[in-house]
Amino acid sequence: MIMSEIMYLRMEELGLGLVSLLRAAWIAATLPILLACLPLPGLGWFRRALLGFAKRGKILPSNSTKLTVPQRFFSHFYVVAIFWTTILLVAVWFYALKMLPSLIEHDLFSTITSHLTGGSHAFSWHKSLSTREHVYNVWLSVFLLLLMEVQVLRRFYETIYVFNYSSSARMHIFGYLAGLFFYTAAPLSLCCTFAPEVFDFVKNLVAEFIVKGKDRMSKPEFNIWMFVTPFLRLRWYAWIGAAIFLWGWVHQLRCHEILGSLREKTETLEEYVIPYGDWFEYVSSPHYSAEIVIYGGLLVASGGADLSLWLLFTFVVANLVFAATETQRWYHHKFDDYPRNRYAIFPFVY
């Protein structure tokens, strides 16, 4: 009993450490962008430096090759994202299926025993609610990771089959590393509060497999309802968030298809034309607008109780607003007939 409590406290400390590290990383990534957006004359050099790091594709001058990589390396982001998100999804889902039902049963047994032996009913009831809330949050993270998987799979498909990057299109190495960081930290933020206990579960499972071998390990009994029932018990905000996510997901797909089709309207890959259709009728960077809607949907689906997801969403908004502002400036400079009624990223606002 004492050993289990020590292990629980150890897992809790590791969880708090991981959460704090992730939150610090999101703050550190967001603050420079917010600082560069401040209209202060003394920060002009900093703003220009950050813009240099953020530029890519048509925004980056074709003669700027120092510390850059081909823009087609975008696919690396989604290879990493698919690999990492899938690992997290499988680990958390298997942990939920194999361990959490026993936690509920053990907690229920402890509550009944406490009641029969005259123990503290209030404490037992509070513990029961806490355990059930923990179980719910784990299954909610499985749901969020499923949505994330849908997103990164589509983005990988688009980099291969939708976009036709010019051989001269490049991006700064800093932006490339930032993308790798994002698609590593974002999926982890969806399950960071209990990730250490999941990792510990997987480690013990691997150790058991090495010692016992496949044939001697206990065979879990799964049925389809074990996979479906927990999602049917998700609260209303999870489904509203999923609907918001899918709304942004569909429009981002459409906007990316429009951008990809522009190559068919030009004689060379080096030429650019003005995009029209879908959300392009309202803003210059609708794919960025849709990205904000997508991560806003994840935030709503989570219930908004985890600060880590708020910081993730803040980074997404700050980063994409910063990029959309430069894109808007480029469009107005490039095309004399560019629609003047288009906003940068937020329709009728900015």
Side-chain angles (χ1 to χ4, degrees):
M1 186 69 178
I2 294 176
M3 286 299 295
S4 63
E5 290 180 357
I6 293 175
M7 288 297 295
Y8 175 78
L9 291 174
R10 178 173 170 270
M11 288 296 105
E12 190 174 17
E13 289 176 359
L14 288 173
L16 290 174
L18 178 62
V19 170
S20 299
L21 182 63
L22 267 176
R23 290 175 179 175
W26 287 126
I27 292 172
T30 306
L31 282 180
I33 302 173
L34 296 178
L35 188 63
C37 291
L38 294 177
L40 300 176
L43 294 177
W45 65 272
F46 182 74
R47 191 178 301 109
R48 288 190 297 272
L50 199 61
L51 276 173
F53 294 147
K55 287 181 178 180
R56 62 174 183 262
K58 60 180 178 290
I59 307 298
L60 185 68
S62 57
N63 58 353
S64 299
T65 58
K66 187 178 181 180
L67 295 177
T68 63
V69 296
Q71 195 176 6
R72 64 176 180 273
F73 280 15
F74 252 74
S75 61
H76 298 180
F77 300 161
Y78 308 117
V79 170
V80 170
I82 291 171
F83 177 76
W84 182 229
T85 305
T86 302
I87 287 178
L88 291 174
L89 175 60
V90 171
V92 177
W93 205 337
F94 197 72
Y95 171 74
L97 286 169
K98 189 167 184 180
M99 297 296 294
L100 296 185
S102 62
L103 283 178
I104 296 177
E105 292 167 4
H106 176 270
D107 186 70
L108 180 61
F109 175 77
S110 300
T111 303
I112 294 173
T113 303
S114 178
H115 176 77
L116 294 175
T117 57
S120 173
H121 307 322
F123 176 77
S124 298
W125 178 248
H126 175 73
K127 183 181 176 184
S128 176
L129 289 177
S130 176
T131 302
R132 290 179 182 277
E133 189 67 19
H134 176 74
V135 171
Y136 175 82
N137 288 332
V138 172
W139 279 107
L140 180 60
S141 286
V142 174
F143 185 66
L144 296 176
L145 286 168
L146 276 172
L147 294 178
M148 188 70 179
E149 186 87 346
V150 170
Q151 170 67 359
V152 297
L153 283 171
R154 196 206 78 234
R155 293 303 305 272
F156 179 70
Y157 164 81
E158 289 171 342
T159 58
I160 302 299
Y161 296 106
V162 175
F163 293 116
N164 188 11
Y165 294 116
S166 166
S167 58
S168 63
R170 305 186 69 82
M171 60 179 166
H172 199 280
I173 187 67
F174 182 84
Y176 176 74
L177 295 175
L180 293 177
F181 157 76
F182 178 84
Y183 283 106
T184 302
L188 186 58
S189 296
L190 302 178
C191 61
C192 61
T193 54
F194 47 83
E197 63 192 74
V198 175
F199 294 157
D200 194 61
F201 163 75
V202 173
K203 181 187 70 175
N204 292 336
L205 202 64
V206 172
E208 183 183 1
F209 177 81
I210 293 173
V211 173
K212 295 183 178 181
K214 180 180 178 182
D215 296 334
R216 296 175 59 188
M217 289 185 67
S218 58
K219 301 292 192 299
E221 296 182 4
F222 294 145
N223 60 68
I224 189 63
W225 290 109
M226 292 178 65
F227 291 88
V228 175
T229 303
F231 298 118
L232 298 179
R233 294 176 180 174
L234 293 177
R235 293 166 190 159
W236 59 270
Y237 53 76
W239 297 108
I240 290 179
I244 295 172
F245 170 92
L246 291 174
W247 180 49
W249 190 92
V250 168
H251 281 283
Q252 188 174 62
L253 173 62
R254 291 175 181 173
C255 292
H256 282 163
E257 288 175 343
I258 291 171
L259 286 174
S261 68
L262 294 181
R263 295 299 188 189
E264 301 172 0
K265 301 177 182 179
T266 60
E267 295 182 359
T268 69
L269 292 176
E270 311 301 326
E271 296 181 12
Y272 295 96
V273 297
I274 301 173
Y276 291 93
D278 202 70
W279 286 359
F280 275 107
E281 301 302 318
Y282 307 100
V283 293
S284 296
S285 299
H287 48 312
Y288 293 165
S289 306
E291 187 97 350
I292 291 174
V293 172
I294 286 168
Y295 284 93
L298 288 175
L299 180 61
V300 173
S302 73
D306 188 351
L307 179 60
S308 302
L309 293 183
W310 280 102
L311 293 174
L312 163 61
F313 181 67
T314 301
F315 171 79
V316 169
V317 174
N319 181 53
L320 295 181
V321 168
F322 188 72
T325 301
E326 183 63 17
T327 301
Q328 178 85 333
R329 186 179 294 112
W330 182 88
Y331 272 127
H332 282 290
H333 176 76
K334 180 73 173 179
F335 301 103
D336 294 332
D337 58 341
Y338 190 74
R340 298 294 168 177
N341 60 337
R342 285 191 193 178
Y343 291 80
I345 189 168
F346 300 122
F348 315 112
V349 177
Y350 177 77

